[in-house]
Amino acid sequence: MLLEGQKQKALNINWNQPSLNSIAPKTLDLIIVGCGTIGGALIKQINEQQKILAARNLPINVLGIANQKGILLDPAGVDLSCWQENIKNVKGRYNLAELSHLVKRNNIANPVIVDCTGSREFSLTYPDILEHGFNIVTANKIANGEPIAFYKKIRQLAEANNKRFLYETNIGAGLPVIDPFKKLILAGDKLNRFEGILSGSLSYIFGEIHKGKTISEATISARELGFTEPDPRDDLSGMDVARKVLIIAREAGLEIELTDINVEPILPEEFNRFTTTEEFLTALSDLDTAFSVKVADAEKEGAVLRYVATIEKDQCRVAVEKISSDNPLHEIDGGENILAFYTRYYDPKPLLTRGYGAGPDVTAAGVFGDILRLVN
Amino acid sequence: MLLEGQKQKALNINWNQPSLNSIAPKTLDLIIVGCGTIGGALIKQINEQQKILAARNLPINVLGIANQKGILLDPAGVDLSCWQENIKNVKGRYNLAELSHLVKRNNIANPVIVDCTGSREFSLTYPDILEHGFNIVTANKIANGEPIAFYKKIRQLAEANNKRFLYETNIGAGLPVIDPFKKLILAGDKLNRFEGILSGSLSYIFGEIHKGKTISEATISARELGFTEPDPRDDLSGMDVARKVLIIAREAGLEIELTDINVEPILPEEFNRFTTTEEFLTALSDLDTAFSVKVADAEKEGAVLRYVATIEKDQCRVAVEKISSDNPLHEIDGGENILAFYTRYYDPKPLLTRGYGAGPDVTAAGVFGDILRLVN
């Protein structure tokens, strides 16, 4: 947003020659916090695309990369070909006040914190980050699932500081969901009903149980493929899906809390008693027979079981549902997500988005998409 | 983009008081050209949403509404509750140079021409419009289907003049397609294959022939419902679909022309000999038997016929295809579109978007979405 002002300044200094200063403010300066699977994939994509983007007048500079151990900083741009090596030797750690000074000292007009952590602690610092004049792009969905007062505070601070808070990958990873839905609502559309499969791991597990696996076999296989959390109970509890449907419901204008969502976990309560994942996985086979009966019952009707998030009449529900073959959720398996928005404008057939809802490349590409929104 | 510069100016004049001038440049001033079905729906949506948007710091002002007969202008904002009446009495006509003066006289920082016409003549004036300092949002896909030199010229002029050229509704009406695909490509994704159903009328017709209608019955019914052009041959020629797949292919980086696309029309060449639509519709029943045989053949294999646009190995094809039941295109009917992007990141399952690809509300909402991209 400083472009015109800066241009004017540059022109005052040096009227007739093109000045680097007049171009500089368009650059977007990123501080990538968290460089595990998602952050790592993002850095790789930026490294690959940086020259192409600069040639298209969309210059992106990585000012810093931070992990729990330290922060690699270079106002001229961190060398993305050897950051893994270099970050091992850094002494400084992520410090917002220091970053803010660095940004001011270097006349950086458009700084962005990119949150690729899964940290609640870090997401609670978003208000501070915005007040220090940084935009936020986040793949971390914790902040948007916090109590509504915090949810609103982030938005108010973003507006007050003329900064953006973008989180497209909170739902469906790289699938275009949040931004298009936001725009539909602003264009006067109204959500009548939402139905979706929002978990890659549960999409895989429920797909497999209709291909002959038992629930315990499907879960173990999903874990081995890296689709679930280290302890699959974190997936099977349904709370991850509940947090996602909460975010969608809030975009639709519902002022609700996580506790307002009716969550039917896949596992009976008693499975929480196991202290280790291994004990739990061994015990899981006790559910196999009962689950197989439900699967067979559904199949008799030509239906399948799916773990579905629903928004209807201002209520959110997350549960195992029997899905008939004419429902677009029927075909979803193998880690795909699907989101069906039944709205005032999309009626009677919904607006549907479908594809992988997890994975490093698609998630990083979604974060990249948010970053590109800030360059424009 | 003038925000900071303007704010500075306002502050020089009146340091201590909040000034209206410091807020004004954020307003987006629209000149809506073409106010038929799409333009009319857009004006209705803006009228409904204007206060909500202003309250959310996204002020939109309709500076003008133009049709073939005249232009209704008001720098303070056209009254959207009675524009249909008022436009009947206007004397002036759309004139770019005059609009440009009006914009300068009124210090309008962010003017946008919104093309809701279907006019080739008008779309050929885009270079002029950009050079006069207007952004362009268009529902008209003609410009993007012109020879590649013109296609590039628009983009170069937009960049040189620091203006935006947005056309999300060129494909799939309000479905989120162009912007997400553009961002994916910029994030380093590569298109391996595209398959889609891009015509609402042909989606309806091919759906109906598998519900028992003949091709002539389905076409007449589609026409009666207003899904086709007045002469359905314009739909059945496949050229509308060819133009759309050309636009997608160009987004993927292919520098190709409309004539490079392999188009298999639904009708044999000889149907062009009829001078009136009525003669053509009567003759169409000659195709019924042959078509019904093809339909029955497909159904024997559990497949359906669909009119499909394909991009594969840098080649585009538009043709009637036999689609098996495991292909996501199988379920599409009733006017829905579907777009399946098989890419480097979305592999082996594609990124899918599905929903109505025509209709006044969804198209206007898509245009509205592009407008909102400019306010941000």
Side-chain angles (χ1 to χ4, degrees):
Chain A
M1 296 298 277
L2 279 167
L3 181 63
E4 289 296 327
Q6 291 285 127
K7 206 183 253 169
Q8 222 172 324
K9 218 198 306 177
L11 293 174
N12 288 342
I13 294 165
N14 189 342
W15 188 265
N16 288 312
Q17 286 178 28
S19 158
L20 273 179
N21 288 343
S22 69
I23 299 162
K26 253 195 147 177
T27 298
L28 203 66
D29 282 274
L30 312 179
I31 296 129
I32 299 169
V33 183
C35 42
T37 322
I38 309 297
L42 176 66
I43 295 167
K44 189 164 168 281
Q45 289 181 0
I46 295 174
N47 190 30
E48 274 179 28
Q49 293 300 108
Q50 214 163 18
K51 279 188 191 160
I52 295 167
L53 291 170
R56 297 191 56 175
N57 228 351
L58 301 166
I60 288 178
N61 182 46
V62 178
L63 173 63
I65 298 176
N67 63 17
Q68 286 179 307
K69 292 184 187 145
I71 186 163
L72 190 60
L73 280 172
D74 188 343
V78 172
D79 184 342
L80 301 183
S81 64
C82 52
W83 67 272
Q84 286 108 322
E85 268 312 302
N86 294 342
I87 204 168
K88 289 179 191 158
N89 309 316
V90 292
K91 297 224 173 62
R93 296 189 62 173
Y94 172 91
N95 178 306
L96 185 58
E98 283 172 21
L99 279 175
S100 179
H101 288 308
L102 178 78
V103 159
K104 280 185 195 125
R105 267 201 315 277
N106 289 278
N107 292 316
I108 289 170
N110 223 356
V112 189
I113 299 278
V114 183
D115 180 4
C116 296
T117 76
S119 159
R120 179 162 187 269
E121 196 189 338
F122 188 68
S123 69
L124 295 181
T125 70
Y126 290 175
D128 255 8
I129 292 174
L130 294 165
E131 287 186 310
H132 277 82
F134 293 83
N135 299 284
I136 298 174
V137 167
T138 182
N140 177 346
K141 63 179 168 296
I142 295 173
N144 280 328
E146 289 292 305
I148 195 88
F150 184 77
Y151 180 91
K152 285 185 177 176
K153 189 179 176 187
I154 300 172
R155 282 147 181 86
Q156 283 154 1
L157 286 173
E159 198 172 314
N161 292 283
N162 200 19
K163 296 294 155 198
R164 304 286 297 279
F165 170 58
L166 300 174
Y167 47 90
E168 182 58 70
T169 51
N170 279 193
I171 310 291
L175 299 178
V177 175
I178 301 277
D179 182 65
F181 185 53
K182 240 186 229 295
K183 289 196 162 67
L184 262 186
I185 295 292
L186 287 173
D189 205 0
K190 304 265 181 289
L191 185 68
N192 296 327
R193 190 158 62 90
F194 168 82
E195 242 179 39
I197 293 175
L198 303 179
S199 156
S201 55
L202 298 181
S203 155
Y204 174 84
I205 290 171
F206 280 82
E208 291 301 298
I209 61 175
H210 283 281
K211 290 173 189 156
K213 283 208 178 96
T214 62
I215 180 84
S216 63
E217 286 167 350
T219 304
I220 290 164
S221 152
R223 184 169 181 258
E224 283 169 359
L225 289 164
F227 290 173
T228 69
E229 297 296 316
D231 188 326
R233 283 177 290 187
D234 291 339
D235 302 81
L236 297 165
S237 72
M239 289 315 294
D240 176 64
V241 177
R243 260 176 230 113
K244 287 176 179 166
V245 78
L246 175 67
I247 295 172
I248 298 172
R250 285 175 169 181
E251 290 296 338
L254 297 185
E255 297 212 348
I256 59 167
E257 300 291 355
L258 191 58
T259 48
D260 297 326
I261 296 173
N262 188 350
V263 184
E264 184 195 284
I266 296 161
L267 301 174
E269 178 91 31
E270 69 210 55
F271 280 84
N272 290 328
R273 74 175 188 274
F274 301 108
T275 45
T276 72
T277 305
E278 280 58 40
E279 280 178 283
F280 154 68
L281 286 174
T282 309
L284 187 57
S285 57
D286 294 350
L287 284 185
D288 285 348
T289 312
F291 234 90
S292 297
V293 170
K294 284 187 203 164
V295 167
D297 280 352
E299 287 180 355
K300 252 182 244 159
E301 302 170 28
V304 289
L305 301 183
R306 295 286 181 254
Y307 199 65
V308 178
T310 309
I311 308 174
E312 200 167 22
K313 295 186 181 127
D314 297 354
Q315 300 284 323
C316 298
R317 185 175 76 240
V318 176
V320 178
E321 310 267 3
K322 209 186 284 180
I323 298 294
S324 61
S325 63
D326 57 351
N327 185 319
L329 276 62
H330 188 276
E331 304 309 313
I332 303 307
D333 63 12
E336 273 185 303
N337 283 13
I338 189 167
L339 301 102
F341 295 90
Y342 296 82
T343 72
R344 177 184 173 200
Y345 296 156
Y346 287 92
D347 176 58
K349 295 196 181 212
L351 170 61
L352 280 162
T353 306
R354 173 178 163 186
Y356 295 115
D361 275 338
V362 294
T363 310
V367 174
F368 209 133
D370 273 347
I371 292 169
L372 290 167
R373 262 180 259 282
L374 294 170
V375 204
N376 283 334
Chain B
M1 295 299 276
L2 279 166
L3 182 63
E4 290 295 327
Q6 289 285 127
K7 204 184 254 169
Q8 220 173 327
K9 216 199 305 178
L11 292 174
N12 289 342
I13 295 164
N14 189 341
W15 188 266
N16 289 314
Q17 284 176 30
S19 157
L20 273 178
N21 287 343
S22 70
I23 299 162
K26 252 196 150 175
T27 299
L28 203 66
D29 282 273
L30 311 179
I31 296 128
I32 299 169
V33 183
C35 42
T37 322
I38 308 297
L42 176 65
I43 295 167
K44 190 164 168 284
Q45 289 180 1
I46 295 174
N47 190 30
E48 276 178 28
Q49 293 300 108
Q50 213 162 19
K51 279 186 191 160
I52 295 167
L53 291 171
R56 298 192 54 175
N57 229 350
L58 300 166
I60 288 178
N61 182 45
V62 178
L63 172 63
I65 298 176
N67 62 17
Q68 285 179 308
K69 289 182 188 148
I71 186 163
L72 190 60
L73 280 172
D74 188 344
V78 172
D79 184 343
L80 301 183
S81 63
C82 52
W83 67 271
Q84 286 107 325
E85 268 313 302
N86 294 343
I87 203 168
K88 289 179 190 158
N89 309 315
V90 292
K91 296 221 174 68
R93 296 189 62 175
Y94 171 92
N95 178 305
L96 185 59
E98 284 172 20
L99 279 175
S100 178
H101 288 306
L102 179 78
V103 159
K104 280 185 194 126
R105 267 202 314 278
N106 289 277
N107 293 317
I108 290 169
N110 222 356
V112 189
I113 299 278
V114 184
D115 180 4
C116 296
T117 75
S119 159
R120 178 161 189 269
E121 197 189 337
F122 188 68
S123 68
L124 295 181
T125 71
Y126 291 175
D128 255 8
I129 292 174
L130 293 165
E131 287 187 308
H132 276 83
F134 293 83
N135 299 284
I136 298 175
V137 167
T138 181
N140 177 347
K141 65 179 166 293
I142 294 173
N144 280 329
E146 289 291 306
I148 196 87
F150 184 78
Y151 179 91
K152 286 185 175 175
K153 189 179 178 187
I154 300 172
R155 283 149 180 85
Q156 283 154 1
L157 286 172
E159 196 172 316
N161 292 282
N162 200 18
K163 297 294 155 195
R164 304 283 298 276
F165 171 58
L166 300 174
Y167 47 90
E168 182 58 70
T169 52
N170 279 193
I171 310 291
L175 300 178
V177 176
I178 301 277
D179 181 65
F181 185 52
K182 238 186 229 300
K183 290 194 163 67
L184 262 186
I185 297 293
L186 287 173
D189 206 1
K190 304 266 180 289
L191 185 68
N192 295 327
R193 190 158 62 91
F194 168 82
E195 241 180 38
I197 293 174
L198 302 178
S199 155
S201 55
L202 298 181
S203 154
Y204 174 85
I205 290 171
F206 281 81
E208 291 302 298
I209 61 175
H210 283 281
K211 291 173 189 155
K213 284 207 179 96
T214 63
I215 181 87
S216 64
E217 285 167 349
T219 304
I220 290 163
S221 153
R223 184 171 181 256
E224 283 169 0
L225 289 165
F227 289 172
T228 69
E229 297 296 315
D231 189 326
R233 282 177 291 187
D234 291 339
D235 303 80
L236 297 165
S237 72
M239 289 315 293
D240 176 64
V241 176
R243 260 177 230 111
K244 287 176 179 165
V245 79
L246 175 67
I247 294 172
I248 298 171
R250 285 175 169 180
E251 291 296 339
L254 296 185
E255 297 213 349
I256 58 166
E257 300 290 354
L258 191 58
T259 48
D260 297 325
I261 295 173
N262 188 349
V263 183
E264 184 196 283
I266 295 161
L267 302 173
E269 178 93 30
E270 68 210 54
F271 279 84
N272 290 329
R273 73 176 189 274
F274 301 109
T275 46
T276 72
T277 306
E278 280 59 39
E279 281 177 283
F280 153 68
L281 287 173
T282 310
L284 187 56
S285 56
D286 294 350
L287 285 185
D288 285 348
T289 312
F291 235 90
S292 298
V293 170
K294 283 186 204 165
V295 166
D297 281 352
E299 287 179 355
K300 250 180 247 162
E301 302 170 28
V304 290
L305 301 183
R306 295 287 182 250
Y307 199 65
V308 178
T310 309
I311 307 175
E312 200 168 21
K313 295 186 182 127
D314 297 355
Q315 300 284 321
C316 299
R317 184 176 76 240
V318 175
V320 178
E321 310 267 3
K322 210 186 283 178
I323 298 293
S324 61
S325 63
D326 57 351
N327 186 319
L329 276 63
H330 189 275
E331 304 308 313
I332 303 307
D333 64 10
E336 272 184 304
N337 283 13
I338 189 166
L339 300 103
F341 295 90
Y342 297 81
T343 72
R344 175 183 174 200
Y345 296 156
Y346 288 92
D347 177 58
K349 295 197 181 213
L351 169 63
L352 280 162
T353 306
R354 173 177 163 187
Y356 295 115
D361 275 339
V362 293
T363 311
V367 174
F368 209 133
D370 273 346
I371 292 169
L372 290 168
R373 263 179 258 281
L374 293 170
V375 206
N376 283 334

